[in-house]
Amino acid sequence: MTLPDLRGPLRVTVRMHRHALGAALAVTLLAAIALPTGRWYVQSLAADLAATGCKVEHTVPGCGIQVRGFLSRSLYFHEMFFFVALAVSALPLLLGAFVAGPLVGREFESGTYRLQWTQSVGPARWLAGKLAVPVAAVLLVLPAFVLLAAWIRRGTWDTWYPIQWHDLPVYVAIGPVAIGYALLGIGVGALTGLLIRRTLPAMAAAVAAVGVIEAGLVLLRPRLWPALDGRPRNGNDWGVFGPVGHVGTRHHPESHFWPLQLVESTVLLALTAAALVATFALLRRRHR
């Protein structure tokens, strides 16, 4: 099956869901603009504070208002980053619901899939064309957004509110696991949509399934790579287990970020592949 084979189903899918795709792109662009703008704003506030001669470390009389204003606005940016990261963490749930319901489940519930199948588009091509649209959107947009979020986070290291790599939901928004979870949402959504074939029940089942997998992997995450024994060296280390005698705690230093990300991404891609294989096998079994 080649790209020209999918051209027809792709056009149909994009035309049918152009409003949802446009809204998702608009929200992504808004977040991509808000993050660097917020970071630039905090930097400009720091420069303005330095110009007044006031310092956060040693606040002297007459500097209270300036210092409080700087810290409160810096905290606003910190919270905005967390809200954006939370949206990235919720993306697999939204993708699962969208694929299971409007993309797949609604077609079977309304019977409109039969129209395309009678126009030289077989079941496998039809489903591949459906799934290619969200997969392409994820692979084209999300990696660039993840790189932007990681760059913005690194810029907070020298601020009064540094964003830690291991914080939830920051961890998901600044590494390849963001793409893995998004693809998992598509795979699970396709399987539940094909199994249930009704829009709302399929959406609910997809959200529940993706949510359970996400929660399970969050609990397993500290154990995906061997932790170190001893007291964390700095605030960037992630204490993950209880005390180890009088030495300290088991922890992951920031150097474990990439091993943890790559192991979790591998698990996510394996689960996605399993869901997609099961989806196409079920489709072939039901509609030979």
Side-chain angles (χ1 to χ4, degrees), residues 70-131:
F70 168 72
L71 291 177
S72 63
R73 287 168 175 79
S74 299
L75 182 59
Y76 292 157
F77 170 74
H78 186 271
E79 293 175 344
M80 180 185 71
F81 189 99
F82 266 82
F83 280 121
V84 173
L86 185 63
V88 174
S89 298
L91 182 61
L93 302 175
L94 298 176
L95 283 170
F98 173 72
V99 173
L103 204 63
V104 176
R106 183 180 295 170
E107 294 277 336
F108 285 104
E109 188 174 27
S110 63
T112 54
Y113 69 96
R114 296 190 184 93
L115 178 61
Q116 293 190 55
W117 290 9
T118 58
Q119 297 178 348
S120 302
V121 178
R125 283 181 58 197
W126 169 82
L127 182 58
K130 289 281 184 184
L131 299 182

Side-chain angles (χ1 to χ4, degrees), residues 129-154:
K130 289 281 184 184
L131 299 182
V133 173
V135 168
V138 166
L139 295 181
L140 289 174
V141 176
L142 199 53
F145 186 84
V146 167
L147 289 174
L148 174 64
W151 175 72
I152 294 295
R153 187 199 73 86
R154 293 176 70 90

Side-chain angles (χ1 to χ4, degrees), residues 49-267:
L49 181 66
T52 65
C54 297
K55 295 182 178 180
V56 178
E57 300 92 330
H58 305 290
T59 304
V60 297
C63 288
I65 294 177
Q66 292 90 333
V67 170
R68 283 196 299 271
F70 168 72
L71 291 177
S72 63
R73 287 168 175 79
S74 299
L75 182 59
Y76 292 157
F77 170 74
H78 186 271
E79 293 175 344
M80 180 185 71
F81 189 99
F82 266 82
F83 280 121
V84 173
L86 185 63
V88 174
S89 298
L91 182 61
L93 302 175
L94 298 176
L95 283 170
F98 173 72
V99 173
L103 204 63
V104 176
R106 183 180 295 170
E107 294 277 336
F108 285 104
E109 188 174 27
S110 63
T112 54
Y113 69 96
R114 296 190 184 93
L115 178 61
Q116 293 190 55
W117 290 9
T118 58
Q119 297 178 348
S120 302
V121 178
R125 283 181 58 197
W126 169 82
L127 182 58
K130 289 281 184 184
L131 299 182
V133 173
V135 168
V138 166
L139 295 181
L140 289 174
V141 176
L142 199 53
F145 186 84
V146 167
L147 289 174
L148 174 64
W151 175 72
I152 294 295
R153 187 199 73 86
R154 293 176 70 90
T156 68
W157 288 354
D158 58 349
T159 68
W160 286 93
Y161 298 103
I163 298 172
Q164 303 295 343
W165 65 274
H166 53 78
D167 286 343
L168 292 176
V170 174
Y171 178 86
V172 176
I174 60 173
V177 296
I179 294 96
Y181 275 111
L183 295 176
L184 176 70
I186 295 171
V188 172
L191 181 58
T192 54
L194 186 60
L195 282 171
I196 299 176
R197 298 181 169 220
R198 295 177 58 193
T199 305
L200 294 180
M203 293 175 70
V207 170
V210 175
V212 168
I213 295 173
E214 280 198 84
L217 285 176
V218 167
L219 294 176
L220 288 175
R221 185 173 295 155
R223 295 170 173 82
L224 295 177
W225 193 259
L228 301 181
D229 293 338
R231 194 178 305 279
R233 293 170 298 177
N234 53 59
N236 290 329
D237 290 351
W238 177 23
V240 293
F241 302 114
V244 180
H246 300 289
V247 179
T249 62
R250 303 199 70 190
H251 66 280
H252 286 295
E254 190 164 3
S255 60
H256 286 188
F257 171 79
W258 279 108
L260 286 166
Q261 286 268 333
L262 293 177
V263 171
E264 189 167 349
S265 298
T266 302
V267 173

